Amino acid sequence: MIRLKMAHIFTCPCRSAARCLLAALLLLGALPAMAGIDVELEGIEADLRRNVLIYLSVERYRDRDDVDEDTMQRLFNRIDGEVKGALRPFGYYEPEVGATFRPASGGWRVSIVVAPGEAVRLRELAVDIEGPGAADPVFDGIRGQTELRIGTRLHHGDYEKLKNSMTNVAAANGYLAARLLDNVMYVDEQARSASITLRLDTGPQYHFGKVDIDQNVVRPALMQRFVRFREGETYNRSQLLATQFALDDSLYFSRVDVTTGDPDPETLTVPVSITAAKSRPVLSLGGGYGTDTGVRGTLGWTDSRVNDRGHRLRFELRASRSTRRVESRYDIPIGDPALEKFSVEALNRLEKRPEFDTNETTLRPSVTRVHGRWQTVTSLSATRTTTDDGIDQFTSNLLVPGLVLASLPEGFLGEALFSRGFYSELLASRTELGASTDFLRMMVQLERGFDLSSVWHLLLRGEIGATLVDDFSRLDGIYRFTAGGDRSVRGFGYQSLAPEGGGRHLLTGSVEVVRDIPWNLAVATFFDAGNAFNKFGDKLEFAAGVGLRYRLPVVSIGMD
């Protein structure tokens, strides 16, 4: 195919037509012969097709503009061997390959038809763990693996995966001298059968040796509480990584290095060295736009290490057309400093909602604790709030005890979470504590994602809230429910779904199916339902639509 970009268009007088024609022919003759290759591959699909295309030289040359007939013939001669080599890892050792090529549209068209033939199947399999660690439960996953099974098609990738898993599991759990005694895959091509033997000698198990810590950022006792292992414990690579991550996420340090020395075969120990350098206060600026909030901006300042006790201080200002939030928070680490803390938070928040406006000033001490995979936050808020619904305006000064119970992902070490599988909040107050009316408010949020395949995903989200209150008309606006917006019922304005003045109860749900496409993009279809209302059984609103997502390393940009 010839692509010619014309920079200028010109005309020639009749008497010079011959000269113009000659010049055009000379110009075309000076251009390189462009001979792209169009490859048609039939007879195989999915992983087999993808691997063959990776192997094929003609596929790699498809956009070359210098493929003459001699080059094309040499590439063509490789096809048979390349297809067979690409199919062997999937257990097809004797495929039939038919191929032709011919000139087409100024280039070349290659047609390949593949009949994979009968697959080689696994007839014998022996996976043995020997040595001092033979009975260690860390190898149970190796013994119970299901990728390689008698009678299934031979897959070289599954064999390599199991082989690497045996040595990796051993090394990650302290068996640093482990070695494969047998590592054999025998294939009888005529019988279409294969046998695999893998035998691992674990060798002795190593332990953590001396831990040297070089830092002057926080007190040694606090630094020790970040370390996920102790001298003399069984060596475990994941505990080293967890220590690295916990120290990184603490934000006390600008640089953290957790490294191991050479294992000592006499004492069966591994020395560890930790070095760290102090971080500096950070000034942050942010901006964005959302149809719910309009233009929004954030100004923040954080000193992650106020003193050597590890205290933290943060100020933040957020503003948009509908909200203004000024917040400061002081954190003191307690217990496990990566996960637990005592905090004092002061904030002023003005929020303009479709049904009413609220102005809140709060001082809130709280204690955050972790119990396995669960986090609790116990708080007591001293709050001054003003609610204006356009008709009435009233102000309350009250104390509000609160309790949050939330699930944590496996391996959580204090990093910021953008979603939780389970989050619940319970707030309550009485007139004796300054409230305008007695109330008890509960809210539960659920969110779960499922990978249906490598490219298809299912996202489920739900939220339910309920309020027990003596006189709802006297309930402060910040404790009333509203729905609508991009994290609620899409297609409706931000917090626009509610009875006049807000609702006693809340119910929302969302089902979203996402399909990954190239270039970090994804398309989605969704169905949302929900509302805020004064009694369960009232009308729900519904929305359905499509969306486009662009995924970045930490966040994604989307349009629905």
Side-chain angles (χ1 to χ4, degrees):
M1 181 180 294
I2 298 176
R3 299 179 178 89
L4 187 61
K5 181 178 179 180
M6 301 298 295
H8 301 283
I9 297 176
F10 59 92
T11 59
C12 293
C14 292
R15 63 178 180 272
S16 302
R19 294 179 182 177
C20 291
L21 179 59
L22 178 61
L25 291 173
L26 291 173
L27 175 62
L28 289 173
L31 292 174
M34 302 185 69
I37 302 175
D38 181 23
V39 179
E40 296 178 346
L41 178 59
E42 299 178 1
I44 51 176
E45 300 293 339
D47 290 344
L48 301 182
R49 178 184 177 85
R50 282 191 288 271
N51 207 49
V52 167
L53 290 175
I54 291 172
Y55 268 67
L56 284 175
S57 298
V58 289
E59 179 69 15
R60 295 196 296 273
Y61 273 67
R62 65 178 304 153
D63 295 325
R64 294 280 293 269
D65 59 6
D66 57 350
V67 181
D68 55 24
E69 186 172 359
D70 289 341
T71 302
M72 186 63 239
Q73 185 64 54
R74 288 195 297 272
L75 296 175
F76 178 79
N77 292 340
R78 302 176 187 174
I79 290 176
D80 186 78
E82 289 174 341
V83 171
K84 291 179 178 178
L87 294 181
R88 287 172 69 90
F90 297 90
Y92 297 102
Y93 275 66
E94 294 187 0
E96 295 182 1
V97 182
T100 61
F101 77 94
R102 59 184 175 83
S105 303
W108 304 97
R109 176 163 296 165
V110 178
S111 298
I112 306 172
V113 179
V114 180
E118 183 182 350
V120 170
R121 299 199 172 271
L122 187 59
R123 303 303 181 192
E124 297 179 3
L125 175 65
V127 179
D128 296 320
I129 309 295
E130 301 177 2
D136 196 324
V138 299
F139 294 106
D140 287 348
I142 299 296
R143 298 186 186 92
Q145 64 83 31
T146 58
E147 286 82 3
L148 293 176
R149 301 191 307 276
I150 300 297
T152 60
R153 173 167 54 89
L154 178 65
H155 194 300
H156 292 203
D158 291 339
Y159 164 72
E160 293 293 335
K161 180 180 177 181
L162 177 57
K163 182 176 68 174
N164 292 334
S165 292
M166 295 175 75
T167 55
N168 289 339
V169 168
N173 290 278
Y175 299 99
L176 303 183
R179 61 193 181 95
L180 286 169
L181 301 177
D182 283 319
N183 170 24
V184 178
M185 179 174 66
Y186 173 75
V187 177
D188 186 339
E189 296 185 24
Q190 291 184 343
R192 303 288 194 277
S193 67
S195 63
I196 290 176
T197 301
L198 289 169
R199 193 159 58 99
L200 177 78
D201 179 10
T202 67
Q205 190 172 37
Y206 282 69
H207 296 76
F208 285 111
K210 183 180 180 183
V211 182
D212 288 323
I213 300 177
D214 180 14
Q215 62 88 33
N216 58 2
V217 180
V218 296
R219 294 185 175 186
L222 176 60
M223 186 71 176
Q224 284 287 352
R225 282 154 53 197
F226 278 99
V227 179
R228 307 284 113 174
F229 58 88
R230 295 291 178 266
E231 183 176 346
E233 292 181 349
T234 300
Y235 177 88
N236 188 296
R237 188 184 298 160
S238 64
Q239 298 304 315
L240 288 172
L241 293 175
T243 299
Q244 176 81 55
F245 296 151
L247 291 171
D248 285 338
D249 292 335
S250 73
L251 304 180
Y252 293 151
F253 312 102
S254 61
R255 176 185 56 80
V256 177
D257 295 312
V258 180
T259 58
T260 58
D262 294 330
D264 187 333
E266 294 184 1
T267 61
L268 297 179
T269 58
V270 182
V272 179
S273 175
I274 301 175
T275 59
K278 180 183 175 182
S279 66
R280 297 177 180 275
V282 175
L283 177 67
S284 60
L285 295 171
Y289 176 84
T291 55
D292 288 345
T293 61
V295 177
R296 59 179 180 264
T298 303
L299 172 65
W301 182 85
T302 303
D303 187 349
S304 297
R305 185 256 183 215
V306 174
N307 52 42
D308 63 3
R309 295 181 176 88
H311 296 191
R312 303 182 183 90
L313 179 62
R314 176 176 175 79
F315 294 98
E316 185 175 75
L317 169 63
R318 297 182 183 181
S320 69
R321 70 185 179 194
S322 58
T323 62
R324 185 202 67 223
R325 179 186 179 104
V326 182
E327 178 184 8
S328 65
R329 191 178 72 236
Y330 195 86
D331 295 328
I332 301 173
I334 59 175
D336 184 339
L339 304 173
E340 301 176 315
K341 61 189 174 183
F342 170 75
S343 303
V344 177
E345 178 184 15
L347 70 87
N348 176 260
R349 176 171 55 193
L350 172 65
E351 191 161 4
K352 296 182 178 181
R353 308 187 186 190
E355 299 295 338
F356 54 88
D357 297 342
T358 61
N359 193 325
E360 172 195 358
T361 301
T362 294
L363 179 67
R364 179 186 298 117
S366 64
V367 175
T368 301
R369 289 286 192 182
V370 171
H371 313 275
R373 295 283 297 276
W374 295 94
Q375 180 189 72
T376 60
V377 182
T378 307
S379 64
L380 179 64
S381 300
T383 298
R384 177 180 176 86
T385 176
T386 300
T387 302
D388 185 352
D389 61 10
I391 300 175
D392 298 320
Q393 176 177 314
F394 61 91
T395 298
S396 298
N397 298 292
L398 67 159
L399 295 175
V400 183
L403 174 65
V404 169
L405 175 65
S407 63
L408 295 174
E410 185 176 0
F412 176 73
L413 289 170
E415 64 271 22
L417 293 176
F418 296 98
S419 65
R420 293 180 184 265
F422 176 89
Y423 177 89
S424 64
E425 181 183 62
L426 184 66
L427 302 174
S429 192
R430 295 180 58 86
T431 54
E432 292 85 350
L433 297 177
S436 300
T437 182
D438 296 347
F439 73 91
L440 176 69
R441 182 184 189 269
M442 182 183 68
M443 182 185 64
V444 176
Q445 297 174 339
L446 301 169
E447 188 167 346
R448 186 72 184 273
F450 300 91
D451 293 326
L452 304 178
S453 71
S454 60
V455 296
W456 286 95
H457 314 282
L458 175 65
L459 304 179
L460 303 177
R461 187 179 72 243
E463 184 177 29
I464 184 171
T467 308
L468 298 177
V469 57
D470 283 349
D471 183 357
F472 182 73
S473 67
R474 300 296 297 168
L475 182 65
D476 299 288
I478 61 174
Y479 304 115
R480 302 178 188 179
F481 288 110
T482 59
D486 66 346
R487 292 289 296 172
S488 180
V489 184
R490 284 166 280 193
F492 293 88
Y494 178 57
Q495 297 183 339
S496 65
L497 296 180
E500 184 175 351
R504 293 172 181 255
H505 312 304
L506 174 71
L507 182 63
T508 68
S510 178
V511 178
E512 183 169 324
V513 178
V514 182
R515 172 64 158 86
D516 294 335
I517 57 178
W519 306 296
N520 291 332
L521 293 171
V523 292
T525 60
F526 62 86
F527 178 79
D528 294 348
N531 209 338
F533 38 77
N534 287 325
K535 65 178 185 296
F536 284 102
D538 284 354
K539 177 185 175 183
L540 298 180
E541 299 290 350
F542 301 91
V546 297
L548 179 68
R549 313 279 184 264
Y550 177 61
R551 291 191 173 126
L552 298 172
V554 178
V555 298
S556 64
I557 300 171
M559 179 177 66
D560 291 321

